[in-house]
Amino acid sequence: MKGFFLTAALFLGLTGGAFAQTNVWNDYGVDRTWDIGFNYGASTITRPNGPEKFYQGSRTNVVPDFSIKLQYVVTPHWHLAFDLGWRTWESYGTWSNPYTYGTQLSPTEVKFQLGKPAITETFQLNYVIPYYSKYKVLNRANLYFGVSAGLVTTVSDGSQSFGKYNNRPDSSYRYVNGYNYGMGIGYSVGVQMGYTYYFLRKWGVNVELAARYVNMTASKENGLADAHGTTKYNMLFFPQTFGIRYRFR
């Protein structure tokens, strides 16, 4: 997955480098100021900070990341965007099991589900460096950097799941192998950078890297959520996406 994004970024950089940067804005009228995009990529999270360490997990994984973006061109150098994204947030840890029949049971893995999915509704303000075609009549590429802020909603039910040990000395022993936080709502702030190359007048491709900080409050769905303080947490997540763009030109 990392190689894919590096290849995509290199391709976009090489193709965009063929166009000279100018301050000309000939190709944008009042009816030519909207783009829509569909993105797919990967995202990872840090372990949630706030719950007791026992309920944070010790590792995370990389998951698919999807989003839809609507962009408004304010000026050649400033763009506003709304990004609706969704992905799964989970962390993993290992819990020890008790002695049974005088023997210590082996540790088992437990999954902590923060959100499945985690839905983000983000507004972006980006500073843009535009590139144009040879005769300065078409915006062929945009390199951008910006900031973002928005809301986050996580879908989860605060439940627990159980597994069966299936091994000696007590094959019938049941243990917690999954712990879900309650449904949550919070806010996010972050930064992003990206590059869009238009291979046709209306169609383009985009690569974007972002970092987001989120602060969440989850509902108290069960006794564990109350007793172990898992109702409030914060963390970072890092979307890396490649997408298609269509502009209303």
Side-chain angles (χ1 to χ4, degrees):
M1 182 67 77
K2 182 181 292 185
F4 167 75
F5 286 113
L6 290 175
T7 302
L10 179 61
F11 167 75
L12 293 179
L14 291 175
T15 53
F19 301 100
Q21 180 188 348
T22 79
N23 290 321
V24 179
W25 192 246
N26 295 336
D27 194 48
Y28 288 81
V30 293
D31 60 338
R32 300 176 178 179
T33 55
W34 293 95
D35 285 17
I36 190 170
F38 300 90
N39 310 300
Y40 172 78
S43 180
T44 187
I45 64 172
T46 61
R47 290 179 292 121
N49 181 34
E52 292 182 6
K53 291 184 178 180
F54 201 63
Y55 290 86
Q56 294 176 6
S58 57
R59 62 193 183 279
T60 60
N61 65 342
V62 178
V63 298
D65 192 289
F66 305 88
S67 69
I68 300 172
K69 179 180 286 188
L70 182 65
Q71 180 170 266
Y72 177 70
V73 179
V74 181
T75 74
H77 293 289
W78 292 100
H79 293 182
L80 287 173
F82 174 75
D83 184 274
L84 177 65
W86 55 98
R87 72 284 297 166
T88 297
W89 284 348
E90 293 172 337
S91 62
Y92 299 85
T94 302
W95 279 358
S96 298
N97 289 300
Y99 279 89
T100 302
Y101 302 112
T103 302
Q104 174 74 55
L105 300 183
S106 299
T108 51
E109 182 178 82
V110 60
K111 177 175 69 177
F112 302 95
Q113 184 187 102
L114 285 71
K116 191 175 183 180
I119 303 168
T120 53
E121 302 165 334
T122 305
F123 290 93
Q124 297 181 356
L125 175 64
N126 292 313
Y127 177 76
V128 181
I129 302 174
Y131 297 84
Y132 293 87
S133 57
K134 182 176 180 181
Y135 296 103
K136 304 176 183 178
V137 295
L138 180 65
N139 173 223
R140 295 303 300 267
N142 291 315
L143 176 67
Y144 61 89
F145 313 85
V147 295
S148 65
L151 298 176
V152 184
T153 303
T154 55
V155 179
S156 193
D157 59 8
S159 64
Q160 301 172 60
S161 60
F162 295 86
K164 199 172 182 180
Y165 192 67
N166 289 329
N167 204 350
R168 289 187 285 179
D170 187 358
S171 60
S172 64
Y173 174 74
R174 296 176 74 244
Y175 62 92
V176 176
N177 63 4
Y179 173 72
N180 297 345
Y181 286 32
M183 185 173 180
I185 188 168
Y187 67 87
S188 73
V189 293
V191 295
Q192 66 278 332
M193 64 177 295
Y195 185 85
T196 304
Y197 171 69
Y198 295 98
F199 55 88
L200 295 174
R201 186 178 182 87
K202 292 186 177 182
W203 290 96
V205 289
N206 170 266
V207 61
E208 181 174 292
L209 306 177
R212 310 261 189 258
Y213 166 84
V214 296
N215 188 290
M216 300 294 299
T217 299
S219 59
K220 298 180 179 180
E221 297 289 349
N222 57 45
L224 277 176
D226 293 341
H228 298 284
T230 58
T231 57
K232 292 183 181 293
Y233 61 92
N234 57 76
M235 65 182 199
L236 298 173
F237 76 103
F238 305 92
Q240 308 167 58
T241 59
F242 184 81
I244 192 79
R245 292 287 182 272
Y246 177 83
R247 56 185 178 184
F248 302 95
R249 300 288 188 259

